[in-house]
Amino acid sequence: MSSTKCIMGTRKKARAFVRVRPTDDFAHEMIRYGDDNRTINIHLRKDTQRGMVANQQTDWSFKLDGILHNASQDVVYETVAKDVVSQALSGYNGTIICYGQMGAGKTYTMTGATDTYKHRGILPRALQQVFRTIRERPTQAITVRVSYLEIYNDSLFDLLSTLPYVGPSVTPMTIVENPQGVFIKGLSVHLTSQEEDAYSLLFEGESNRITASHTMNKNSSRSHSIFTIYVEAQSRTLSEAKHITSKINLVDLASSDTWGKSGSEGRVLKEATYINKSLSFLEQAIIALGDQKRDHIPFRQCKLTHALKDSLVGNCTMVLVTSIYGEAAWLEETLSSLRFASRMKLVTTEPAINEKYDAERVVKDLENKLALLKHELATRNRLANRPLVNYEPLDEIRIAEISSQVRRYLERTLDEIDILSLRQIREVFNQFRVVLRQGL
C-alpha cells in the first residue's frame, strides 16, 4: 500500500515555440522575425488577396518563447525538451506537444527520421537522456516504464498491444479520473531496464500507427499519439520510504486537414473530419483555460482533450512546438497555427514534485526510530543513575499496582506515589477518576 502527495510549486505559463520548415521559397515580405527571435510578424498584401475588403486586417504579430528557423534536431531538443526531461527526473511531470500544419515537419520534430542518427527527434532523444541520467546516478534506483496510446477517430488504441505478451484488450480502453489524475484504463505499461528496449517499444508502436498518403504528405499521421515515460526513483543508500515519481507525455497531434489542398477523400476524408473536430475541441479548451472568468472547461468533449486534461490544467510543465510553412501559399494555415500557439501561452499550470510513500515502509521506519529513542533514553537514565523506565504500554499488573497506590494514598496509608514516566502519570490521573466515579 502506498500514498502519493505533491509538494506544491508555483504557477507558470505554458511555453510555446514555432518551428519553420526549411524552404527555398520563404515569404520574406510576408513573414518577418523580430530581433528578439521570439516575435513573428505576418503581413498580407491587399493586392494579392481575393475579395479583400478595405477594413480587413492585414498585419499580425505573435510573441512566443522562441523561433526555430533552420534549426537542427539537436538545437530543437536542447531548446524545447532537455529541461522538461531533466525536471521529470527530479519528480516533476512534463508534457511536450507537437502541433502544426500538414507536412510541415510536426512528426519529424517529435520522432525524427530513422535514416540518420542526427535526425532523431524529441522522443528518442528524451529516452536517451533518461537512461544516460540513470547511469550518472548510481546512488539512485530509477525505474522506467513506457506506454504508447493512439487516438484514432476519437477511439483509444494501444499501439503496443501487438506485442506477443500483451495481446488485444477484451474490453475497450477508457479514460478514468482519480485523485492522482487522469489515466487510461486498459493501456499496457512496459518496464524497460535498457535504452535499447525502450527504442524497440517505440519502433513497435510507430509501425502500428495509422498513416495515409495525400498530395501534401505521403506518410501523414491520421491519429493523435501519446508516448508516456513513467519514472520512479528512490535512494539506494538511504533507508527511505519516499519515492519520487513523474511522467513525461510526448504528444504528436495529427495535422488539421485543409481538404481543398490535401485532396482527401473516402476514408481519409472521414479521418480528417475526426482530426479537425478534435483539434477544434482542444483549441476550445485552451481558450477556456485562458479566460479567468470561465468556471467550466470542456475537457470531455472528445478523447483527446480528456486524455490531456492533466497536461493542460494540472501538475505539469507544458511545452508546445508548432510547425509551420514559410511559403506564401500556406499563409492562412500559418496564421491559424500561430493563433493556436499564442493561445497556448495563456494556459497556466502548477508543476509540483510528486512524492510517493510506501505505507508499510513508513510504519517500519517509525518503529525503528521509536526503538532507537527508547534505547537512548535508557542509556541516559543509567548514566544519570536514574531508575530504569519501561516505555512499553502498561500491562494489567502495573495498572493494578497503580490503582492500589492511588487508593492507599487517598486512605493516607501511603505518603507518595512513585512517578517514573509520563504514561504512569496519565494512569494515576485515570485511577483518581475511577475512584471518584465509584464514590470511594
Side-chain angles (χ1 to χ4, degrees):
M1 184 178 178
S2 62
S3 61
T4 304
K5 75 171 186 177
C6 296
I7 300 177
M8 300 312 295
T10 57
R11 298 188 66 82
K12 61 190 297 186
K13 296 284 188 181
R15 303 177 71 206
F17 297 85
V18 60
R19 188 179 193 184
V20 186
R21 177 172 174 141
T23 177
D24 294 330
D25 192 24
F26 189 84
H28 293 282
E29 295 182 1
M30 298 182 180
I31 304 175
R32 295 181 179 177
Y33 306 140
D35 294 336
D36 58 0
N37 200 38
R38 295 186 175 189
T39 305
I40 182 166
N41 301 306
I42 306 296
H43 172 71
L44 292 180
R45 292 174 298 186
K46 289 186 179 182
D47 58 348
T48 63
Q49 299 301 305
R50 293 175 296 176
M52 178 176 281
V53 295
N55 63 347
Q56 186 169 344
Q57 184 175 354
T58 58
D59 293 279
W60 295 262
S61 182
F62 300 93
K63 180 91 170 189
L64 304 173
D65 291 285
I67 299 172
L68 302 166
H69 183 72
N70 291 332
S72 66
Q73 295 282 66
D74 281 333
V75 170
V76 170
Y77 187 80
E78 291 287 326
T79 305
V80 169
K82 186 177 181 180
D83 286 346
V84 175
V85 176
S86 178
Q87 291 169 14
L89 290 163
S90 297
Y92 293 92
N93 295 333
T95 295
I96 301 172
I97 297 178
C98 285
Y99 169 88
Q101 299 166 229
M102 186 177 298
K106 170 185 54 60
T107 299
Y108 175 74
T109 298
M110 178 55 75
T111 57
T114 58
D115 56 346
T116 308
Y117 186 75
K118 69 177 182 179
H119 291 159
R120 293 168 303 140
I122 290 173
L123 208 165
R125 291 171 186 267
L127 289 171
Q128 182 187 45
Q129 182 180 346
V130 167
F131 283 97
R132 183 174 62 239
T133 304
I134 291 175
R135 293 191 293 271
E136 293 171 352
R137 297 183 183 178
T139 60
Q140 283 189 308
I142 302 178
T143 302
V144 179
R145 294 177 173 84
V146 302
S147 65
Y148 209 169
L149 173 70
E150 179 180 54
I151 303 175
Y152 173 69
N153 288 355
D154 206 39
S155 297
L156 306 174
F157 296 93
D158 186 350
L159 288 173
L160 299 178
S161 64
T162 54
L163 293 169
Y165 56 88
V166 178
S169 176
V170 178
T171 58
M173 290 190 296
T174 56
I175 301 175
V176 180
E177 293 188 48
N178 61 24
Q180 283 71 48
V182 175
F183 72 97
I184 312 300
K185 185 177 181 181
L187 181 65
S188 63
V189 180
H190 304 262
L191 178 66
T192 55
S193 57
Q194 301 292 332
E195 188 174 337
E196 293 74 16
D197 296 338
Y199 291 145
S200 296
L201 292 169
L202 169 60
F203 297 144
E204 175 73 19
E206 282 296 301
S207 65
N208 292 326
R209 283 197 70 181
I210 296 174
T211 61
S213 178
H214 50 67
T215 57
M216 296 170 65
N217 188 352
K218 68 179 182 178
N219 289 308
S220 176
S221 299
R222 309 309 295 162
S223 64
H224 311 297
S225 71
I226 304 176
F227 188 96
T228 304
I229 305 171
Y230 308 87
V231 179
E232 184 170 334
Q234 69 177 126
S235 173
R236 293 182 187 273
T237 57
L238 299 176
S239 177
E240 290 187 336
K242 181 177 72 175
H243 296 60
I244 298 297
T245 65
S246 64
K247 63 180 180 179
I248 311 167
N249 289 321
L250 300 165
V251 185
D252 183 12
L253 296 178
S255 305
S256 58
D257 196 332
T258 305
W259 299 324
K261 294 182 179 180
S262 66
S264 298
E265 58 184 12
R267 177 180 66 85
V268 178
L269 181 57
K270 178 184 177 182
E271 294 167 347
T273 303
Y274 275 102
I275 291 170
N276 290 347
K277 188 176 181 180
S278 62
L279 291 175
S280 176
F281 286 144
L282 176 60
E283 189 160 12
Q284 288 176 29
I286 290 171
I287 292 172
L289 285 168
D291 185 353
Q292 301 292 333
K293 299 178 181 179
R294 289 285 294 270
D295 294 327
H296 173 69
I297 310 299
F299 286 116
R300 294 176 179 266
Q301 291 189 102
C302 68
K303 299 291 195 307
L304 176 64
T305 52
H306 199 183
L308 291 178
K309 179 180 178 180
D310 278 352
S311 299
L312 294 172
V313 73
N315 162 26
C316 184
T317 299
M318 163 67 73
V319 178
L320 173 75
V321 184
T322 299
S323 297
I324 64 172
Y325 281 98
E327 289 94 345
W330 306 103
L331 215 53
E332 182 180 343
E333 290 79 8
T334 294
L335 274 172
S336 177
S337 298
L338 291 173
R339 288 191 188 101
F340 183 93
S342 63
R343 286 165 179 160
M344 180 64 83
K345 280 185 60 62
L346 299 176
V347 174
T348 303
T349 59
E350 192 167 357
I353 297 178
N354 301 290
E355 293 184 346
K356 183 177 179 181
Y357 289 85
D358 185 328
E360 293 182 2
R361 187 68 177 269
V362 169
V363 171
K364 186 175 180 180
D365 286 350
L366 290 174
E367 289 175 344
N368 291 337
K369 289 179 180 178
L370 182 60
L372 179 61
L373 288 172
K374 289 179 179 179
H375 178 72
E376 290 181 355
L377 285 172
T379 301
R380 290 193 177 191
N381 288 336
R382 282 196 296 269
L383 292 175
N385 293 321
R386 299 192 189 105
L388 292 178
V389 178
N390 185 0
Y391 294 101
E392 298 300 323
L394 299 176
D395 55 23
E396 292 182 1
I397 296 176
R398 185 63 182 138
I399 292 174
E401 182 181 341
I402 294 174
S403 176
S404 174
Q405 287 183 351
V406 167
R407 291 178 181 275
R408 289 161 53 201
Y409 178 80
L410 292 172
E411 294 170 352
R412 300 181 183 277
T413 60
L414 181 68
D415 293 332
E416 293 182 352
I417 298 175
D418 296 330
I419 301 297
L420 299 177
S421 69
L422 179 61
R423 184 177 284 110
Q424 185 182 6
I425 293 174
R426 289 174 178 169
E427 187 58 35
V428 167
F429 279 104
N430 183 57
Q431 292 301 322
F432 273 116
R433 188 182 295 115
V434 170
V435 171
L436 182 63
R437 287 175 182 172
Q438 293 175 348
L440 194 53

